[in-house]
Amino acid sequence: MRYSVNADMYSEPLPIHAFLDDWQDPNFKSGENAFAHGKMKLSVQQGPWNTGWVWSYDYALNFSPDMAKLYYQIENDLPIDANSSYDLFLEAQHVDSIGARLAYDWALNPDWTVTAGVTALIGRHYVDGQFNAYGQTTDQINLMDRVSWLNGQLDYSYDVPALKEDELGLGDLRVKQGYGYALDFTVNGKINEQWKVNLQLEDVFSYLYWDQAPYSRYEIHYDKDNRPRMDLSGRVDTRQQYKQELPYKIRSEIEYRPIQPLSFTLSSFSNPYLTLFQLNSYWENDFVKLGVHTEPQTQAYGVSLQHQNVGFKYMADALNTNQAKRMGASLYAQYVW
């Protein structure tokens, strides 16, 4: 029996704490990505079969640097840039689900194993959509005059309205139910006595189907020289079913073991928007395996401990978690009989 929890979070423009709160932080940096991925598993291995329960959480955002800058300026009551063009883009994928997983291990030979799993999912929450806009500013002081013109559109689907659409008196804008499946694959192999590889694909070609799913579509056109200045049109409605593609996660690792008890690995983590690499060093004996880790792109560092029954890994780019832009943690406990 094995219980495991892992979480990965990253915010490129601001510390994670400020990004999730009100963007009130002086250390703003241009960026395009932010994500939070979490998974909890309770599973039992019986021969080549693995069965278990899974809780999964994904929140992945991809945005233009102008979008991050504009939102930061608005939240901090700062003037938007004068005489500038703003290219605004935001894509959001959020899903919260639970499910039952069944997997099987194929031993291709003594050195190579392939695992394939399928998880039957029940959806709990979701948001899926995009915002696009382009505009031009002037050097005027008043905000309504400072924006010369703006054209944009929003298209998103959800289980619960995020923009107060439920206050429009259009009925119950809540999804009826969500269900679907997730596929995962793992390849473990040993090239020779010094080199090993591991590849994990999670939520590939995986979908949730939301029945009676509400959605919103808006178009906005603003011109300070027109009267009225703003034209906002759109619709709020319900689809019979919405098909949401889950954001995939890919983890890979290649290990080099020059001498016992030392080993070194290069690992990576990818989602639809970016890939992060880690350099890892390990020392182990018959009782425990200790590791130190670094992620050059985010300047994060970490430590890990692995034992037959328990283990953990923690990494961050700052000791003060309120200032961390990158955090990752994992924990497992298992019992073999």
Side-chain angles (χ1 to χ4, degrees):
M1 179 178 291
R2 179 183 175 93
Y3 172 78
S4 63
V5 181
N6 68 73
D8 279 291
M9 294 180 288
Y10 177 51
S11 168
E12 195 172 358
L14 284 171
I16 297 169
H17 176 77
F19 188 93
L20 297 176
D21 191 11
D22 53 11
W23 285 55
Q24 302 292 319
D25 190 282
N27 299 315
F28 174 78
K29 177 185 176 183
S30 179
E32 299 180 358
N33 295 287
F35 66 77
H37 299 296
K39 184 158 288 191
M40 183 187 303
K41 294 182 182 178
L42 179 63
S43 60
V44 175
Q45 185 81 32
Q46 294 181 317
W49 292 98
N50 185 285
T51 58
W53 169 87
V54 178
W55 170 79
S56 183
Y57 180 92
D58 295 293
Y59 206 147
L61 299 175
N62 178 245
F63 40 82
S64 65
D66 282 350
M67 186 78 218
K69 178 174 65 175
L70 177 62
Y71 192 78
Y72 180 78
Q73 291 169 335
I74 293 174
E75 288 295 301
N76 288 271
D77 297 322
L78 299 174
I80 62 177
D81 294 353
N83 298 319
S84 300
S85 298
Y86 275 83
D87 186 1
L88 307 177
F89 171 79
L90 170 64
E91 183 174 22
Q93 291 181 294
H94 168 53
V95 61
D96 180 347
S97 63
I98 58 174
R101 178 176 179 268
L102 176 66
Y104 186 83
D105 299 334
W106 280 276
L108 304 181
N109 58 48
D111 294 331
W112 290 86
T113 302
V114 175
T115 301
V118 59
T119 304
L121 295 175
I122 297 175
R124 288 155 44 92
H125 304 291
Y126 89 104
V127 174
D128 195 18
Q130 287 187 355
F131 171 74
N132 297 274
Y134 193 80
Q136 178 70 40
T137 64
T138 68
D139 58 359
Q140 300 296 309
I141 301 299
N142 182 276
L143 176 61
M144 301 302 290
D145 292 325
R146 198 175 187 89
V147 179
S148 177
W149 56 266
L150 175 74
N151 296 310
Q153 59 183 8
L154 171 69
D155 186 351
Y156 83 110
S157 186
Y158 44 85
D159 67 314
V160 176
L163 300 176
K164 300 183 178 180
E165 286 93 343
D166 50 343
E167 298 180 3
L168 298 176
L170 300 176
D172 186 14
L173 294 176
R174 295 178 182 271
V175 74
K176 185 176 181 181
Q177 62 182 353
Y179 55 89
Y181 63 90
L183 305 178
D184 63 87
F185 303 92
T186 301
V187 178
N188 269 304
K190 183 169 70 172
I191 300 173
N192 54 41
E193 293 303 318
Q194 291 184 314
W195 292 92
K196 295 180 180 179
V197 295
N198 175 269
L199 176 65
Q200 301 177 41
L201 310 177
E202 295 183 17
D203 299 337
V204 292
F205 308 115
S206 303
Y207 300 92
L208 275 168
Y209 300 86
W210 301 91
D211 289 341
Q212 299 300 311
Y215 69 92
S216 297
R217 288 179 182 158
Y218 303 109
E219 287 192 5
I220 180 172
H221 302 282
Y222 178 88
D223 192 318
K224 73 179 185 67
D225 295 325
N226 287 346
R227 295 295 182 271
R229 292 183 172 186
M230 184 181 299
D231 177 23
L232 178 63
S233 61
R235 64 180 300 179
V236 178
D237 208 339
T238 300
R239 293 185 180 92
Q240 183 175 356
Q241 187 178 81
Y242 180 73
K243 180 181 179 182
Q244 181 188 24
E245 184 175 9
L246 304 185
Y248 64 79
K249 280 78 64 182
I250 300 177
R251 293 176 171 86
S252 65
E253 186 170 48
I254 182 167
E255 175 186 314
Y256 173 62
R257 184 183 296 273
I259 57 173
Q260 193 73 11
L262 297 178
S263 62
F264 306 94
T265 73
L266 172 64
S267 61
S268 68
F269 170 80
S270 302
N271 68 14
Y273 304 119
L274 81 166
T275 298
L276 299 175
F277 294 96
Q278 291 183 16
L279 301 173
N280 315 286
S281 302
Y282 297 96
W283 178 92
E284 66 178 298
N285 58 22
D286 294 335
F287 178 72
V288 69
K289 183 176 182 178
L290 304 175
V292 293
H293 315 273
T294 179
E295 197 170 71
Q297 293 155 276
T298 62
Q299 299 182 349
Y301 298 88
V303 296
S304 66
L305 179 149
Q306 299 177 53
H307 179 266
Q308 179 181 357
N309 299 116
V310 295
F312 75 90
K313 178 181 177 180
Y314 177 78
M315 67 184 308
D317 66 334
L319 293 177
N320 183 350
T321 56
N322 286 340
Q323 295 302 316
K325 293 185 174 182
R326 173 73 168 108
M327 296 178 65
S330 62
L331 172 70
Y332 72 84
Q334 62 184 12
Y335 180 75
V336 180
W337 64 85

